[in-house]
Structure formats: C-alpha cells, structure tokens
Amino acid sequence: MSDTSRSSSLDPAIAARLKRSADGLVPAIAQQYDTGEVLMLGWMDDEALHRTLTTGRCTYWSRSRREYWVKGDTSGHFQHVKSVALDCDADTVLVQVDQVGAACHTGARTCFDADQLPVISPAA
C-alpha cells in the first residue's frame, strides 16, 4: 500500500477531487493517443500522478513491489504523456500516451489482446 499520508506536490485542487481506493490508489488507464488503443492499467497515488503530470513520463505505484516505477526505465518501453484526464467521478485516470515498444510486461503491445472472451448477444 502506498503511503498517502506523506506529503505530495500534487495540486491541492486535483488532490481534493480524487476518489481513491482504501489503499489510496486510483486506477490509471494508458491509451495510445492517436489510435485509441487501450494499452494497460496501472495504479497511481497522488505522488505518482504528480510525477506523471510534471515529467511527461508515466509513473505508477507498484502494488506488488510497493514502490514507484516509471514505465520504460527498465524495459525501454516508454510512455510519453500526451494528456491526462479524470473520469466523471474522479475515481479513474486516463493517460493518453505515445507508447514506445510493448506496453505489457509479457512483451505484447497491449495487455488486452491475448485473452479475448466470447460475447453472447441477447436475442433482439
């Protein structure tokens, strides 16, 4: 769990709007800015969002490692931020990025292309 009690440099007006989970995180969806392709889902706390907004590189909170990670620092598969938006409830962040290389830790372009589920359409 991230330490949300520590000081963050996130704009107080943005911080006041965010609706966080019990562990102080918000889901962050990374989307390719020019195609609309959904690339991955990560987690951000206030500090990760601040770093993303101010560096132009996506920073996430790793729930398993319990530390910040900047997408691409170890893999070379960078996410260059084009825009950031909150959804209507301010409980999800949409980060439009220019993805360099694979977004998924498996090496795939997106985390959402390997396991397509069947959709059963109801009778009209």
Side-chain angles (χ1 to χ4, degrees), residues 75-108:
S75 67
H77 300 159
F78 299 100
Q79 291 178 341
H80 300 287
V81 176
K82 297 294 187 176
S83 69
V84 179
L86 297 177
D87 77 336
C88 59
D89 296 320
D91 64 358
T92 304
V93 176
L94 175 64
V95 186
Q96 291 193 318
V97 302
D98 188 9
Q99 177 70 48
V100 176
C104 188
H105 70 278
T106 65

Side-chain angles (χ1 to χ4, degrees), residues 6 45 47-48 51 59-62 66-70:
R6 72 185 194 93
D45 65 1
E47 183 60 23
R51 292 179 189 187
T59 301
Y60 299 99
W61 175 257
S62 171
R66 300 173 45 98
E67 65 184 15
Y68 295 105
W69 59 280
V70 179

Side-chain angles (χ1 to χ4, degrees), residues 1 3-5 9 15 26 29 40 43-44 49 55 65 68 75-76 86 104 111:
M1 173 166 36
D3 182 2
T4 57
S5 63
S9 300
V26 294
I29 300 166
M40 60 171 280
W43 295 91
M44 292 183 179
L49 180 55
T55 66
R65 294 188 311 258
Y68 295 105
S75 67
L86 297 177
C104 188
C111 293

